[in-house]
């Protein structure tokens, strides 16, 4: 790989922000170079390559200039004689605030669970204060992951694991799909090297076969759209991420024929109206698969993700997923909360599910400080991979991966759980042991006469909330039974 240069960063910025004050970027780069002069990375390169690389990752996400400036400076107070006060004097309060935030996230000296708690706590604090700090920290982590090869294996594993336990779940909740995917794949390579190699080979073989096929689909789709006066900004095949395929294959027992989004094509159009029109046109030429049409534009996922999805029997009867969105929606889906600091827009925040989640986190953080004991449970229930499913009324229920209709029912209400007789998933009757999937609409069928849960449900429930409610209801029932037996006994005596 060619060595990273300042010009590369400037070119990235010019592409999305032609009027940016590039002199300021150049000056900051010089300043950071000087501060870090003489320092080397473990890879042997000059240290400046790291803050520069971090700034480039952010420029790819089209963040505005202050965030880029803070990224160039993010390791200065930690690793050089330059102080926070000097940075504030040179660059002002706003930028110094971000740099201080990233610095505070810096080192954690604990091990094991304490390390985890401390990391999480610091992330929450930073998030509550300034979300831009988290975005810089993610870019910093990604750049470090991409040069992990020069570190000893135990350190590689620790950083990779921490990334998958803390960083990527938070990135996911903030809707930062692109950064999450890149961090996951980089960590995957170090945490499960053999599986990584296997999946890598599988995907590159698949890609060669697919290239021609996707070209063909693109031609057909393009023709169909322009015939109907819809301008496609772009149509491209999206390669499935390695770690995401690894997880999906595990879920499907290794059967790649059950992975329906292996071939996915993204269509970017100009307006939301065009999105729906495109969906209709696609269904007109290729038959959609039942239950796989998802309107995340009308009902965004709780992490803010918007897009239209459909899976169709495409050319040669291959199964292909289409994702349809506008350019603006596309950038939001890729960059999540970072899209707020796009271009030169001031971070004017409109109500958004991602930010609601941040305020919830802040609440949890306060509870966490008060009661460290809940940590293990929190780690299991909250940062675990989450799925988002809907009630028939469109309310979102947020559950851990692998949750079943039983979890869903008890999350709505204890009575709904206790009276549960069956479930409809996307209008189809489903077993109570079915693992729910993102975007599923669940309706619980109630049996009014039922009063107590089936003890077997304890095995089907995945969340502690549902398990506790089942246990409590069973206990109450047992007490009732004992009392009535006693009464009978008394009576007969
Ligand atoms: Mn750094």
């Amino acid at each position: 790989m060619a060595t990273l240069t300042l010009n590369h960063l400037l070119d990235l910025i010019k592409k999305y922000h032609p009027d940016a004050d590039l002199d300021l970027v150049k000056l900051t780069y010089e300043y950071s170079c000087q501060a870090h002069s003489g320092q080397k990375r473990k890879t042997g390169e000059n240290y400046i390559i790291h803050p520069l690389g971090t700034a480039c990752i952010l420029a790819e996400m089209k963040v505005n200039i202050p965030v880029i400036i803070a990224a160039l400076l993010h390791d200065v107070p930690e690793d050089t004689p330059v102080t926070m006060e000097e940075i504030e004097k040179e660059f002002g309060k706003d930028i110094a605030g971000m740099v201080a935030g990233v610095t505070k996230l810096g080192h954690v000296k604990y091990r094991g669970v304490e390390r985890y708690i401390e990391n999480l706590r610091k992330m929450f604090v930073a998030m509550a204060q300034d979300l831009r700090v988290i975005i810089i920290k993610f870019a910093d982590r990604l750049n470090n992951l991409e040069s992990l090869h020069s570190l000893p294996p135990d350190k590689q594993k620790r950083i990779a694991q921490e990334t998958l336990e803390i960083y990527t779940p938070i990135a996911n909740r903030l809707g930062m799909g692109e950064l999450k995917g890149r961090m996951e794949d980089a960590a995957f390579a170090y945490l499960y090297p053999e599986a990584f190699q296997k999946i890598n080979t599988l995907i590159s073989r698949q890609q060669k076969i697919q290239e021609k096929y996707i070209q063909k689909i693109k031609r057909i789709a393009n023709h169909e759209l322009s015939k109907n006066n819809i301008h496609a900004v772009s149509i491209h095949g999206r390669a499935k991420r390695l770690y995401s395929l690894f997880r999906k294959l595990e879920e499907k027992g290794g059967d790649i024929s059950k992975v329906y989004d292996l071939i996915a094509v993204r269509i970017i159009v100009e307006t939301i109206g065009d999105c729906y029109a495109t969906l209709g046109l696609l269904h007109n030429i290729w038959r959609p698969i039942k239950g796989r049409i998802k309107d995340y534009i009308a009902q965004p996922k709780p992490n803010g993700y918007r897009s239209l999805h459909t899976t169709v029997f495409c050319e040669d009867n291959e199964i292909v997923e289409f994702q349809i969105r506008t350019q603006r929606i596309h950038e939001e889906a890729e960059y999540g909360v970072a899209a707020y600091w796009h271009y030169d827009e001031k971070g004017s925040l409109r109500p958004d599910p991602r930010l609601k989640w941040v305020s919830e986190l802040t609440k949890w953080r306060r509870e966490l400080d008060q009661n460290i004991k809940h940590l293990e449970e929190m780690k299991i229930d909250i940062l675990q991979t989450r799925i988002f499913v809907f009630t028939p009324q469109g309310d979102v229920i947020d559950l851990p991966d692998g949750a079943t209709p039983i979890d869903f029912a008890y999350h709505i209400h204890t009575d709904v759980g206790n009276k549960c007789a069956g479930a409809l998933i996307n209008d189809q009757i489903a077993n109570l042991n079915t693992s729910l999937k993102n975007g599923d609409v669940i309706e619980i069928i109630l049996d009014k006469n039922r009063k107590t849960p089936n003890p077997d449900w304890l095995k089907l429930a995945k969340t502690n909330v549902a398990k506790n409610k089942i246990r409590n209801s069973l206990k109450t029932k047992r007490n009732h039974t004992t009392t009535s037996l006693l009464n009978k006994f008394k009576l007969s005596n």
Side-chain angles (χ1 to χ4, degrees), residues 27 77 132 160 216 243 317 340 355 375 406 426:
L27 282 171
R132 294 175 302 175
K216 185 170 156 190
Y243 186 67
N317 227 21
Y340 283 128
L355 299 167
L375 183 86
I406 293 292
N426 306 319

Side-chain angles (χ1 to χ4, degrees), residues 134-204:
I134 293 293
I135 296 164
I136 298 172
K137 188 63 196 172
F138 285 158
D140 170 50
R141 172 54 60 108
L142 179 59
N143 187 264
N144 281 329
L145 280 167
E146 286 172 350
S147 53
L148 265 191
H149 52 90
S150 51
L151 291 182
D154 59 321
K155 222 172 172 185
Q156 290 174 344
K157 283 228 154 70
R158 182 185 51 71
I159 293 177
Q161 181 143 17
E162 194 173 270
T163 304
L164 293 182
E165 278 190 351
I166 298 178
Y167 285 71
T168 59
I170 294 178
N172 182 39
R173 292 301 294 261
L174 295 173
M176 306 171 78
E178 163 76 10
L179 263 194
K180 169 194 162 255
R182 282 175 72 179
M183 283 197 282
E184 276 181 350
D185 280 0
F188 179 33
Y190 290 97
L191 215 49
Y192 311 104
E194 279 165 33
F196 178 84
Q197 279 313 329
K198 241 195 240 161
I199 300 276
N200 202 7
T201 319
L202 187 71
I203 281 204
S204 31

Side-chain angles (χ1 to χ4, degrees), residues 3-14:
T3 331
L4 211 48
T5 58
L6 173 63
N7 274 333
H8 181 64
L9 174 63
L10 299 178
D11 286 343
L12 283 173
I13 298 172
K14 271 185 253 172

Side-chain angles (χ1 to χ4, degrees), residues 41 47 50-51 54 71 74-75 79 102 137 140-141 143-144:
R41 300 199 84 195
Y47 194 85
H50 166 62
T54 306
H74 81 270
D75 276 331
D79 298 339
V102 179
K137 188 63 196 172
D140 170 50
R141 172 54 60 108
N143 187 264
N144 281 329

